[in-house]
Amino acid sequence: MKLLSDANPKIQKGTAQGYLTFILHLAPGSLSGYNVCPGASKGCLATCLNTAGRGRFDNIQQARIKKTRWFFADREGFMLQLVKDIQAGIRKAKRLGLTPVFRLNGTSDIRWETIKIGSQKNIFAMFPNVQFYDYTKLANRRNIPANYHLTFSRSEENDAKVPTAIANGMNVAVVFSTKKAADLPSRYLSLPVVDADETDLRFLDPKRSICGLRAKGQAKKDTSGFVVHMEN
């Protein structure tokens, strides 16, 4: 079973900047019977983009559940397939004249830096010259490999952890109720805001930045506090 995809509309925006992103989508929360989002809040789960785009189709949902169960039932087999997919992604990007980059937590929040593969400490050690990046709600992730960029995802339940995430070198993603990029605040929490909807390439963001995302899908109806309403 193929694990990675480059068909996500947002990640395809990166091609204009010379990058081709490959993303792994698992079944978020506990949809598969296994929890892959340990830091998820109620607001996060309610507004998850799991069903956005092609994710609205039942066959896609079933494939994500199958991948997730494979990860837990046969970790070795799963990781070997992941290696094959990364190698294939590198080859495809080279053919297109693009730089390959990888997101392993498209709809999950797994500590990939702790998962060994063969004699290697983790997947990042196996591909030291390849850029990986993700969002995370786990502010205490430390000793992150140099080729793995993490952006902390703020929610209605983890506001107090934002300073910890910043101290650990992570930028912070915040979902705002604004409809247009021009309506994003210039600063939030005393840090400059960048338009994180322009591309998905978070590793290119300036350090100590707020990554401003506009509410989409069910997030437009959020009342939990997951979405920051500018009028407040």
Side-chain angles (χ1 to χ4, degrees):
M1 177 190 296
K2 185 178 178 181
L3 296 175
L4 301 177
S5 170
D6 62 349
N8 183 298
K10 185 179 179 183
I11 65 176
Q12 289 177 341
K13 293 180 180 180
T15 58
Q17 293 181 257
Y19 294 93
L20 182 60
T21 297
F22 296 87
I23 191 167
L24 170 61
H25 283 295
L26 299 180
S30 299
L31 286 179
S32 67
Y34 298 95
N35 184 12
V36 296
C37 301
S41 67
K42 291 181 180 179
C44 175
L45 292 172
T47 60
C48 182
L49 294 176
N50 177 48
T51 56
R54 295 174 65 245
R56 68 185 184 275
F57 298 117
D58 184 65
N59 64 317
I60 299 297
Q61 290 297 310
Q62 291 304 311
R64 292 178 183 180
I65 289 173
K66 188 174 181 180
K67 290 176 185 178
T68 310
R69 291 176 176 170
W70 184 17
F71 174 75
F72 286 95
D74 177 17
R75 184 68 52 83
E76 181 179 359
F78 182 98
M79 295 303 291
L80 288 175
Q81 182 60 49
L82 181 59
V83 169
K84 292 179 181 179
D85 278 16
I86 291 174
Q87 291 171 334
I90 293 171
R91 292 193 298 270
K92 179 175 181 178
K94 184 177 181 179
R95 290 196 301 271
L96 297 174
L98 299 170
T99 299
V101 291
F102 297 86
R103 261 188 77 184
L104 302 184
N105 280 328
T107 40
S108 56
D109 199 358
I110 293 170
R111 295 178 187 262
W112 292 99
E113 66 274 15
T114 68
I115 299 175
K116 293 183 178 181
I117 176 168
S119 61
Q120 298 287 349
K121 186 176 182 180
N122 49 47
I123 194 74
F124 314 111
M126 183 168 283
F127 296 95
N129 298 317
V130 174
Q131 179 69 60
F132 295 81
Y133 68 103
D134 273 320
Y135 291 92
T136 183
K137 284 188 168 61
L138 305 173
N140 62 347
R141 292 174 73 169
R142 299 173 181 171
N143 300 317
I144 303 301
N147 59 333
Y148 188 28
H149 183 278
L150 290 175
T151 298
F152 184 67
S153 180
R154 175 250 171 224
S155 77
E156 77 280 11
E157 295 180 1
N158 66 12
D159 265 336
K161 297 180 180 178
V162 168
T164 299
I166 294 174
N168 286 337
M170 288 189 273
N171 288 341
V172 179
V174 179
V175 181
F176 294 98
S177 61
T178 52
K179 295 181 180 180
K180 298 183 294 183
D183 295 330
L184 286 171
S186 60
R187 299 184 74 83
Y188 184 75
L189 300 177
S190 300
L191 295 176
V193 176
V194 298
D195 180 5
D197 282 317
E198 188 174 353
T199 75
D200 191 57
L201 306 172
R202 298 280 65 78
F203 57 92
L204 296 181
D205 294 333
K207 292 183 178 180
R208 295 184 62 79
S209 295
I210 298 297
C211 305
L213 296 159
R214 297 185 292 283
K216 308 171 190 67
Q218 292 300 313
K220 294 179 181 179
K221 305 175 183 178
D222 176 73
T223 58
S224 70
F226 176 76
V227 175
V228 174
H229 292 270
M230 296 311 299
E231 62 268 28
N232 295 329

